[in-house]
Amino acid sequence: MKLSQFKFKLPENQIALYPHSIYREFENDKGEMETFRISRRDECRLMVLHRKSQTIDMYRKDDKGNPIEGEYLDFRNLLDYFDDGDTFVFNDTKVFPARLYGTKEKTDAKIEVFLLRELNKEMRLWDVLVEPARKIRIGNKLFFDESGTMVAEVIDNTTSRGRTLRFLYDCPHDEFKRELFALGEAPLPRYIIDRRDDHHGTKDDFDDFQCIFAKNEGAVTAPATGLHFSRELMKRMEIKGINSAFITLHCGLGNFHDIEVEDLTKHKMDSEQMAVGAEACRIVNDTKRGGHHVCAIGTSVVKATETAVGTDGMLKEYEGWTNKFIFPPYDFGLADSMVANFYHPLSTLLMETAAFGGYDLVMEAYNLAVKHGYMFGCYGDSLLILND
């Protein structure tokens, strides 16, 4: 397929800058009215695609099964489509506070440093992106706190914006990482940060941008579909008998890179580290053998499971890296259903969703989403794709 086939017009006001929330007003100590935001991550809208019947559900239904116009499905309705013995597969990667702000020695120029991954624990080497990159050269030093104790030296150029930093911080590694991360903020995508009034993160971002089941640290962006799950919803899953299986894929910035070729077969994805353990394999494979549904929660789970699935359709243990790029047409080997967000035009995440749900049906759903005011992006609304 061609890149241009995934182009559509996304209104600016349908890009979600915060998770689904409710707002309450209260009077502060000065007698002034202030607005308080309360996150309701499991109350975003849910659209449902049925692959075989080529139908789309947006509304709740009355007792006779007729759609109730204007009463949109929300994410909590997800469980209505699954039964005892089915399994949801989650990505339990944990986002770390990857965005830091430092100053360059002598000039005091403000520099954004985005941590990508640690290269060497003993030498405190990190692979990072810097902005503005033109100001940062090999040998420059960057200061990250007022006391001057957290200092990094640029020792190599990796890409146009990429650098290798050596942090000059002499202490045990655990203490170093704790101090480093204390200076960082949640690594929200640039399309969120740049559209906010203050162009900065908030104190709530790190909770909002972390899945409640996050466990294994290493992601620089959240597996967005997992953000919709609340503790209450997970408990309802358990009561209904729906199993949870956890894999790990450390989501990287490659998901947000522009594709620069029209022919999608020529696009190369960045590699992401992943692991599929024995317990996840046992749960998923028992589910399949029992004739129950396996639902992948998010595009990162689909990418990981398609990397680790065997020719027999069973999930295999795997530890390593994947640069799998999924776009239509693609023959999926593991999950029979998936949950996704609504993604930006021309994005690899949209392409993977279209591969799973079918290009025509998914693009019809996207047209409906734009028409009906659904929200897009990491904090946007959700899409369930079923094989019925």
Side-chain angles (χ1 to χ4, degrees):
M1 296 199 81
K2 304 298 184 184
L3 174 66
S4 54
Q5 291 175 267
F6 295 92
K7 187 175 182 179
F8 65 93
K9 187 174 182 179
L10 175 59
E12 186 76 14
N13 64 355
Q14 286 180 241
I15 299 172
L17 304 185
Y18 298 92
H20 183 87
S21 306
I22 61 173
Y23 294 85
R24 295 286 183 265
E25 285 194 340
F26 70 99
E27 188 174 320
N28 63 23
D29 295 338
K30 299 178 181 179
E32 301 166 334
M33 297 304 294
E34 291 189 15
T35 302
F36 184 67
R37 183 179 67 83
I38 305 169
S39 176
R40 290 284 191 266
R41 59 172 73 208
D42 60 4
E43 295 180 12
C44 70
R45 287 195 207 174
L46 175 71
M47 188 184 291
V48 182
L49 272 60
H50 303 270
R51 280 192 300 204
K52 288 184 179 176
S53 63
Q54 292 287 291
T55 56
I56 298 173
D57 296 337
M58 291 193 301
Y59 303 115
R60 294 188 176 90
K61 296 180 180 178
D62 61 22
D63 295 339
K64 297 180 180 179
N66 299 312
I68 306 172
E69 192 80 17
E71 288 195 20
Y72 292 99
L73 295 166
D74 71 36
F75 197 76
R76 295 168 297 184
N77 295 118
L78 174 69
L79 303 193
D80 299 340
Y81 295 87
F82 296 91
D83 295 307
D84 182 23
D86 293 338
T87 292
F88 287 180
V89 186
F90 297 97
N91 182 1
D92 66 4
T93 187
K94 187 175 183 179
V95 178
F96 62 90
R99 181 173 281 117
L100 286 76
Y101 295 94
T103 55
K104 183 181 173 184
E105 64 174 340
K106 298 179 182 177
T107 66
D108 284 338
K110 188 175 183 180
I111 306 295
E112 177 185 306
V113 174
F114 195 98
L115 304 173
L116 296 177
R117 62 189 179 98
E118 191 171 38
L119 300 173
N120 186 296
K121 289 184 177 181
E122 287 72 28
M123 296 183 66
R124 309 283 196 265
L125 296 182
W126 279 78
D127 184 17
V128 308
L129 299 176
V130 294
E131 188 71 38
R134 68 183 185 280
K135 295 184 177 182
I136 303 301
R137 296 182 173 85
I138 293 174
N140 288 159
K141 285 189 172 65
L142 299 173
F143 296 84
F144 292 95
D145 58 1
E146 293 180 1
S147 66
T149 54
M150 186 64 72
V151 184
E153 181 181 10
V154 182
I155 65 170
D156 197 12
N157 298 325
T158 53
T159 62
S160 60
R161 292 177 54 220
R163 303 290 186 270
T164 301
L165 295 188
R166 180 174 63 213
F167 284 90
L168 311 174
Y169 199 90
D170 187 18
C171 67
H173 183 262
D174 288 348
E175 181 185 336
F176 160 69
K177 283 192 74 173
R178 188 167 59 249
E179 295 294 326
L180 178 65
F181 287 177
L183 297 169
E185 62 179 45
L188 296 177
R190 283 247 65 102
Y191 71 79
I192 291 179
I193 291 292
D194 291 345
R195 285 177 170 85
R196 287 187 177 177
D197 292 339
D198 57 1
H199 302 290
H200 224 279
T202 72
K203 59 183 178 62
D204 296 323
D205 283 330
F206 205 72
D207 286 336
D208 289 339
F209 204 55
Q210 193 79 272
C211 296
I212 61 168
F213 45 77
K215 180 181 178 183
N216 297 309
E217 184 181 275
V220 295
T221 188
T225 306
L227 295 175
H228 299 305
F229 284 83
S230 63
R231 287 175 175 81
E232 293 78 12
L233 190 60
M234 299 290 281
K235 189 64 179 178
R236 285 180 53 208
M237 280 178 53
E238 182 184 337
I239 292 170
K240 194 165 184 177
I242 300 171
N243 304 305
S244 298
F246 297 92
I247 59 91
T248 304
L249 184 141
H250 294 316
C251 305
L253 294 184
N255 298 298
F256 303 111
H257 290 169
D258 291 338
I259 297 179
E260 298 178 346
V261 290
E262 175 69 1
D263 181 355
L264 297 182
T265 62
K266 292 181 168 57
H267 177 67
K268 303 299 180 186
M269 290 287 287
D270 290 354
S271 292
E272 295 167 302
Q273 194 171 12
M274 58 165 283
V276 176
E279 179 68 2
C281 293
R282 181 190 66 77
I283 295 170
V284 169
N285 294 338
D286 284 352
T287 302
K288 295 198 74 172
R289 292 188 189 100
H292 298 289
H293 296 296
V294 174
C295 182
I297 305 300
T299 54
S300 65
V301 171
V302 172
K303 185 188 299 186
T305 54
E306 287 302 308
T307 298
V309 68
T311 54
D312 58 356
M314 295 294 163
L315 191 61
K316 312 296 182 185
E317 292 183 56
Y318 183 96
E319 187 163 355
W321 298 76
T322 181
N323 64 350
K324 183 173 283 293
F325 176 31
I326 298 174
F327 59 92
Y330 184 90
D331 186 18
F332 290 87
L334 191 88
D336 58 57
S337 51
M338 78 173 287
V339 188
N341 277 28
F342 284 97
Y343 304 110
H344 283 67
L346 307 176
S347 69
T348 60
L349 306 177
L350 166 57
M351 293 165 191
E352 184 177 310
T353 307
F356 197 95
Y359 173 81
D360 291 336
L361 187 61
V362 168
M363 296 312 290
E364 180 185 349
Y366 268 62
N367 287 333
L368 284 171
V370 171
K371 180 180 177 181
H372 287 264
Y374 283 65
M375 302 303 289
F376 285 69
C378 290
Y379 285 147
D381 291 314
S382 57
L383 182 67
L384 168 63
I385 302 174
L386 299 170
N387 191 32
D388 62 5

